[in-house]
Amino acid sequence: MSANGGTKAIVAALLANIGIAVTKFAAFLLTGSSSMLAESVHSVADSGNQGLLLLGGKRAKRAATPEHPFGYGRERYIYAFIVSIVLFSIGGLFALYEAYHKWADPHGITKWHAVPVIVLVTAIILESFSFRTAIKESNHVRGNQSWVRFIRRAKAPELPVVLLEDFGALVGLVFALFGVTMTLITGNGEWDAAGTAMIGILLVVIAVVLAIETKSLLLGEGAEASDLAAIERAVTDGPEVERIIHMKTLYLGPEELMVAAKIAVPEWESAHDLARGINAVEARIRAAVPTARVIYLEPDVYSAAAAEAGTGAAADTAVPQPQDVSGEAAGRPGG
């Protein structure tokens, strides 16, 4: 659901930004307003970013290969990180440069006075519809999380990216409207420069937030605490497993979780019975957490004595090493 909802939100934002970019550029050419130019470039950057997200979603669907045995799911994270770079450089830094340039030559708006106001108000209305779509689609997967937690913890990057972009676009339009309106009232172009600078700072902040959150996904995140607890219950909720010795999880992509665990099992009469028991555990895990699609379970025999011995191989395997008559572990030199 998150993938389809993300695509719908991206397309809505893309269509809105293309139309808005054209009207903003026209307004800039007519008025020479730096706020309109910054917003025009902002809309062009957003349009390119939505194209990148759509491309990343398409490329992530490629089948696994021997060179990439776990598939290409993380490619969506890579394109989301590129989006943050584009937003930072083309959007934020360009707006700050244009603000500096306009501050050095603060000419007012001498013609077509109503055009930038009409364009900005229209853009605010269009961006509001795009933002509403992103909110609606996000609510399908957000659950009872706060918006901050949803943006920070979502494994699918598209919805958080579109949410932040649309929010930034709306606030940036308000800043641009403020700068243009004050310039029209006072005739002082420094207000226009100030509005442009506020747009640049806003875009830089949003880009940094996106980069930080996407970097975490690229490094690899494990399952949420609720999913982790559900997996642990699924593993131990049956006679096949006595306990979990240790377990690790990792998202291979937004909708694909890998689970690797060493489990303590009772003695089985045959390897066939052991395999059947492990298959039953895997089925319970997938039923509890549907995104757990790649599961590796290593059966072992648990030993409390080895676990109490400390960290390292003995605790990890939970099987004590054989001792020789001198009390040293077998296979290790004494002294």
Side-chain angles (χ1 to χ4, degrees):
M1 180 181 295
S2 61
N4 293 334
T7 301
K8 184 176 180 180
I10 293 170
V11 172
L14 177 60
L15 294 176
N17 279 313
I18 290 175
I20 292 170
V22 173
T23 56
K24 286 177 181 176
F25 265 123
F28 161 70
L29 293 175
L30 291 173
T31 64
S33 168
S34 64
S35 293
M36 295 306 306
L37 178 58
E39 276 298 308
S40 301
V41 174
H42 178 192
S43 293
V44 171
D46 281 352
S47 300
N49 288 340
Q50 276 110 42
L52 287 171
L53 292 176
L54 291 173
L55 178 61
K58 182 178 180 180
R59 290 180 61 84
K61 294 178 181 178
R62 289 178 294 167
T65 64
E67 185 178 6
H68 297 92
F70 290 109
Y72 294 85
R74 287 196 179 184
E75 194 145 5
R76 289 164 67 180
Y77 301 152
I78 294 173
Y79 279 86
F81 189 78
I82 294 174
V83 163
S84 68
I85 297 174
V86 172
L87 193 63
F88 180 85
S89 56
I90 298 180
L93 294 186
F94 177 82
L96 291 174
Y97 167 77
E98 181 62 22
Y100 172 78
H101 179 73
K102 184 61 179 284
W103 190 269
D105 182 21
H107 56 273
I109 299 174
T110 58
K111 54 185 179 179
W112 300 95
H113 300 87
V115 169
V117 175
I118 294 173
V119 168
L120 289 171
V121 171
T122 303
I124 288 174
I125 295 172
L126 293 175
E127 283 288 0
S128 297
F129 281 111
S130 175
F131 192 39
R132 179 177 176 272
T133 300
I135 291 174
K136 182 179 178 181
E137 297 302 324
S138 298
N139 281 332
H140 292 315
V141 295
R142 182 171 66 95
N144 58 359
Q145 299 180 88
S146 67
W147 284 108
V148 173
R149 180 171 177 79
F150 171 70
I151 291 172
R152 293 195 62 187
R153 303 304 299 171
K155 305 306 178 185
E158 291 83 3
L159 284 173
V161 169
V162 174
L163 277 169
L164 286 174
E165 280 193 343
D166 285 352
F167 173 77
L170 277 173
V171 177
L173 287 168
V174 173
F175 288 162
L177 185 60
F178 168 77
V180 167
T181 302
M182 293 302 297
T183 298
L184 291 173
I185 293 174
T186 65
N188 187 351
E190 290 180 351
W191 287 106
D192 195 17
T196 307
M198 289 190 291
I199 293 170
I201 294 171
L202 172 70
L203 295 182
V204 167
V205 170
I206 291 176
V208 170
V209 171
L210 281 177
I212 291 173
E213 298 306 325
T214 310
K215 183 199 74 170
S216 178
L217 293 170
L218 281 170
L219 290 175
E221 292 186 355
E224 291 288 322
S226 57
D227 287 342
L228 198 60
I231 294 171
E232 291 174 350
R233 287 193 299 269
V235 172
T236 57
D237 190 21
E240 302 89 357
V241 178
E242 293 178 341
R243 66 187 298 162
I244 298 173
I245 299 174
H246 63 77
M247 180 173 69
K248 297 182 185 296
T249 62
L250 179 68
Y251 271 94
L252 303 175
E255 283 93 31
E256 188 174 27
L257 178 67
M258 182 177 69
V259 179
K262 178 168 286 191
I263 54 176
V265 298
E267 295 185 5
W268 294 89
E269 294 184 358
S270 67
H272 176 77
D273 292 335
L274 175 60
R276 185 171 58 186
I278 289 177
N279 289 336
V281 175
E282 291 180 354
R284 290 201 301 269
I285 293 174
R286 291 190 173 95
V289 181
T291 55
R293 300 178 183 176
V294 180
I295 302 174
Y296 298 105
L297 299 178
E298 180 184 352
D300 204 342
V301 177
Y302 180 76
S303 169
E308 292 175 358
T311 59
D316 288 341
T317 60
V319 176
Q321 297 183 10
Q323 302 288 317
D324 61 20
V325 293
S326 65
E328 298 289 346
R332 293 185 181 179

